[in-house]
Amino acid sequence: MKTEQHELYEYARKRIKQKKRVYFHFVLLFLASLFLFVATTVFHFNENASWHIWLITAWLFLFILHFIKVFITDRFMDKNWEREQIDRLVDLQKKKIEELSNNLNEENPTN
């Protein structure tokens, strides 16, 4: 029972760490975007170029990918999902081996 509790604890710790990183990534994106906007509009830093828009857009895209990974993909594909997939594949392999063995026995009866 201790091993299961430890696994649950480690999984929870890992998920919290992932979520914490997403929140930090969001705050960093927000502050950097605000800084770039202020630098461009208020301080008239390189007003004619739109590089800051492209930078913010690229960063937002990366944030969205990070968000999807943490809150959608990893949520459904945890250790239980992985175990189920492995068990399913092992069962399929056992069935194939059993079928091949039966076919071989039918083709070559030993007496």
Side-chain angles (χ1 to χ4, degrees), residues 56-104:
I56 292 170
T57 304
W59 199 344
L60 182 62
F61 177 72
L62 292 174
F63 172 75
I64 291 170
L65 289 178
H66 190 185
F67 182 87
I68 289 171
K69 180 189 179 309
V70 171
F71 286 99
I72 297 174
T73 307
D74 285 355
R75 185 178 197 183
F76 297 109
M77 295 182 182
D78 59 354
K79 285 197 178 267
N80 292 332
W81 179 85
E82 197 174 313
R83 282 188 197 127
E84 289 172 7
Q85 295 301 312
I86 289 171
D87 290 343
R88 188 178 64 82
L89 290 174
V90 167
D91 288 341
L92 283 173
Q93 288 174 347
K94 284 180 181 178
K95 285 179 185 177
K96 288 215 182 231
I97 290 171
E98 193 174 298
E99 285 176 15
L100 289 172
S101 175
N102 289 339
N103 288 342
L104 188 63

Side-chain angles (χ1 to χ4, degrees), residues 12-57:
R13 193 174 62 79
K14 178 184 166 193
R15 290 290 295 154
I16 289 172
K17 197 174 192 179
Q18 285 178 331
K19 289 178 181 181
K20 191 176 174 182
R21 287 181 182 158
V22 168
Y23 298 143
F24 178 76
H25 190 174
F26 176 73
V27 169
L28 195 62
L29 169 65
F30 178 75
L31 292 176
S33 300
L34 185 66
F35 173 77
L36 289 172
F37 178 75
V38 168
T40 305
T41 56
V42 175
F43 297 118
H44 308 291
F45 178 75
N46 207 1
E47 270 184 274
N48 299 331
S50 61
W51 61 270
H52 64 285
I53 299 297
W54 288 105
L55 180 65
I56 292 170
T57 304

Side-chain angles (χ1 to χ4, degrees), residues 1-16:
M1 188 71 166
K2 280 195 169 216
T3 305
E4 289 178 17
Q5 287 178 340
H6 183 68
E7 284 180 8
L8 290 173
Y9 172 78
E10 285 299 317
Y11 175 73
R13 193 174 62 79
K14 178 184 166 193
R15 290 290 295 154
I16 289 172

